[in-house]
Amino acid sequence: MKTPYKNIYAVLKLNRFIVLAVVIFAMLSSTFSLWMAFKTNKEALNSAFAINTDGSIIPLKLVTQKENFKVEALAHLDLFHNYFYNIDASNYERNLEKALWLGNSSVDNLYRQKKADGVYNRLLQYSLVQKVLSIDSQIEEQNGTYVFRTVTIFEINRGSIIDTYELVSSGNLIPVDRNFPNNPHGLLITNYFENTLKKINDED
């Protein structure tokens, strides 16, 4: 009696089914692994830490990196303009030194120009007090570059006379390594320029 052989087509069909099942399982496994890696990476990006003024670490949950950048950028600009323009005879050297940490050579060049023009000598000679009243900054992203425009209102107290001025300045912001406490936001002002300065007339 002859041994019956299985139909060759049935055998091939079974083999094809096994191969397809293995391929589909491998694809599903790879897809699940990629999804888990993406999810873990996204959660890591949305988690950050900030250092408080007393040195303690505060965990922060960020909505997006761009929103976080804007918050830090506005704080950086506020800090810089306060240091650079909120000065008097007793604090100008300390404040300007702090301001220079927040910008590149464009800020240093402006500082040297003001010094050469006698701005700080007059501050000492006449005991002037230059006080920042408000800082309003706008930030835009243009082709991967962050551009800002800041309107700073400040007053100069000459004793019996107080004059108020509006300064419009502009420049760019680039990310750098954080440097506590000199540059806590990890940003650097570049291409800094004082566009306009005008005296605000009293309405009285």
Side-chain angles (χ1 to χ4, degrees):
M1 183 177 181
K2 294 183 179 180
T3 303
Y5 292 97
K6 292 184 178 180
N7 190 310
I8 187 67
Y9 294 106
V11 173
L12 291 176
K13 188 175 181 180
L14 178 62
N15 288 344
R16 186 173 62 178
F17 174 79
I18 294 173
V19 171
L20 285 175
V22 171
V23 171
I24 292 173
F25 177 80
M27 290 179 63
L28 290 174
S29 178
S30 299
T31 302
F32 179 76
S33 298
L34 288 172
W35 178 77
M36 286 298 295
F38 174 77
K39 182 181 178 182
T40 303
N41 182 61
K42 187 176 180 180
E43 289 176 354
L45 287 176
N46 286 335
S47 300
F49 296 92
I51 296 182
N52 201 1
T53 53
D54 60 359
S56 60
I57 297 177
I58 307 172
L60 298 175
K61 190 70 176 178
L62 306 179
V63 178
T64 63
Q65 291 297 314
K66 282 190 176 182
E67 288 183 357
N68 177 58
F69 177 88
K70 186 175 181 180
V71 171
E72 296 232 41
L74 290 174
H76 185 84
L77 292 171
D78 189 77
L79 193 63
F80 168 76
H81 286 83
N82 265 304
Y83 281 148
F84 203 73
Y85 298 104
N86 201 71
I87 55 177
D88 57 41
S90 65
N91 70 10
Y92 83 96
E93 289 183 330
R94 181 174 64 255
N95 279 11
L96 291 173
E97 181 181 357
K98 292 179 180 179
L100 293 176
W101 276 96
L102 306 178
N104 72 346
S105 58
S106 61
V107 174
D108 184 65
N109 291 337
L110 178 61
Y111 159 71
R112 293 179 184 275
Q113 182 62 49
K114 288 178 177 289
K115 188 175 182 180
D117 292 340
V119 171
Y120 306 120
N121 284 338
R122 288 193 293 273
L123 195 76
L124 292 171
Q125 184 178 357
Y126 300 106
S127 297
L128 303 180
V129 177
Q130 185 169 295
K131 181 181 179 181
V132 171
L133 302 178
S134 66
I135 299 170
D136 181 24
S137 298
Q138 302 295 326
I139 303 171
E140 292 184 4
E141 184 179 359
Q142 300 177 0
N143 300 322
T145 302
Y146 292 95
V147 180
F148 71 85
R149 179 182 181 274
T150 301
V151 178
T152 305
I153 307 296
F154 65 90
E155 65 180 20
I156 298 180
N157 189 326
R158 296 181 172 85
S160 59
I161 301 174
I162 298 178
D163 294 322
T164 306
Y165 296 88
E166 179 189 82
L167 171 70
V168 178
S169 57
S170 61
N172 302 97
L173 284 171
I174 60 173
V176 295
D177 291 336
R178 295 179 190 269
N179 185 331
F180 293 95
N182 298 316
N183 191 335
H185 300 290
L187 295 169
L188 196 69
I189 295 171
T190 64
N191 301 319
Y192 186 68
F193 186 72
E194 292 182 343
N195 302 90
T196 60
L197 175 65
K198 67 178 182 180
K199 183 178 179 181
I200 301 176
N201 296 326
D202 295 331
E203 298 181 6
D204 296 358

